[in-house]
Structures are given as C-alpha cells and as structure tokens.
Amino acid sequence: MFFSVGTWQVLIVGGGDGGACREVLRHTNVQRVVLVDIDEKVVEVSRRHFPQLADKCFDDPRVTVLHEDAARWAEQATRDSEAFDVVLVDSTDFGAADSLHTPAFYRALRLLAREGAGIVVINLTSLSWNLGGARHTTTMQAETFEHVAVYQVFQPTYMSGHYAYSL
C-alpha cells in the first residue's frame, strides 16, 4: 500500500467537499493534511449536505483548511519551504481553476513535492471529450516533472463514465 511506510504530509488543492481528504485520512500514518480550497461555501455546503464526507475530514485535528487561491498559496508556500509527500489536485478543470493548469502552478507543485519522494496527482479531463486538451496539458506537465503518466478511472457520476488524471 502506498501510504504504508513512514509518516506523510499531504496537500489537497480544491477538495472542499472533504471526500479526497476523508480517503487520505484512512491511512493512520498521515501526519498532516493541508487543504486549500478557494470557496468557503463549498465546505459549508458539504458539511450540511454531505456530513459523511466532510465531518471525517474537517473535524480531524491533522487537517488545516485554508480558503485561498491555491495558485497564489502554492507560490508563497514554495518560498516558505513547505514540503509534501503527496499533492492531490482535486479541482474543476475549467473556469475559476484556470490558474491551476498553468506552467507556473506546475512548477510550484514540483517545488512543494518532497525531493526524491513526492508524488503529484492532477485531475486532467475526460479523454473521450478532450483528447487534444489532455495531450496539451501532459506535454506542459512534462516540461516541469521528470515523469508524467496518465491513468483513467471509471466514474459513473460523470457523463462520459470515466475521467483521466495525471501522475
């Protein structure tokens, strides 16, 4: 199991519903989670309507929730020498999240990933709808990260039935 050795520091960008955080916290050796979601209302609505996701995340003392623009936060965090073993980008892939799909943001994530051991997972797109966009994004990521791999999962709640991520 990936989280089986040592203690882990995890950064979640987006994820205001608490679902990714809840899954990360299932691993007892996760020491700290920093969740940066720009929209405080998402957390509030999730607490009210999806407590099975939110409460397990937001009530855990290992979790720090920040309501900031993640691109700006990441840039500052690199200057503060923050380091994470795992970085998960759980955000939308359009609109207000455009700043999370830029070379500058990818460079900041690269610097935030612990040297020699950090892993970054970024939501990509639905390949059946946006293969060209996925190609463009992974090419851009390959200019920053030493290794980039694409994987997809079947996601029945999405119209296409599947979604892709880059690792």
Side-chain angles (χ1 to χ4, degrees):
M1 182 183 311
F2 177 73
F3 285 113
S4 63
V5 180
T7 58
W8 294 83
Q9 310 281 325
V10 178
L11 169 63
I12 300 173
V13 173
D17 62 6
C21 178
R22 178 192 68 179
E23 295 304 308
V24 164
L25 291 171
R26 289 179 190 258
H27 303 278
T28 57
N29 53 342
V30 171
Q31 184 176 43
R32 176 176 84 132
V33 175
V34 175
L35 188 145
V36 183
D37 191 300
I38 197 167
D39 192 347
E40 190 171 359
K41 194 77 167 166
V42 172
V43 173
E44 183 183 309
V45 167
S46 185
R47 276 190 173 282
R48 188 172 337 122
H49 297 288
F50 305 108
Q52 69 279 15
L53 295 177
D55 293 350
K56 291 198 182 215
C57 172
F58 304 126
D59 293 340
D60 192 297
R62 296 173 288 172
V63 177
T64 301
V65 178
L66 305 171
H67 297 293
E68 300 181 38
D69 177 294
R72 279 186 259 174
W73 180 88
E75 184 65 35
Q76 181 59 48
T78 63
R79 289 193 289 274
D80 295 340
S81 300
E82 287 274 7
F84 296 91
D85 302 289
V86 178
V87 177
L88 303 173
V89 179
D90 181 15
S91 71
T92 62
D93 51 1
F94 57 88
D98 284 348
S99 64
L100 305 181
H101 301 280
T102 64
F105 184 64
Y106 298 146
R107 283 191 298 274
L109 294 183
R110 170 78 172 73
L111 292 171
L112 290 172
R114 192 168 310 284
E115 185 66 35
I119 293 176
V120 178
V121 178
I122 304 170
N123 62 324
L124 191 53
T125 189
S126 175
L127 297 178
S128 62
W129 291 346
N130 192 9
L131 190 56
R135 187 178 303 112
H136 171 75
T137 299
T138 54
T139 299
M140 188 175 17
Q141 291 170 348
E143 293 172 1
T144 301
F145 298 101
E146 186 176 348
H147 303 285
V148 176
V150 174
Y151 67 97
Q152 65 180 329
V153 298
F154 291 97
Q155 188 88 7
T157 57
Y158 285 18
M159 289 178 64
S160 66
H162 67 278
Y163 200 81
Y165 300 85
S166 58
L167 173 69

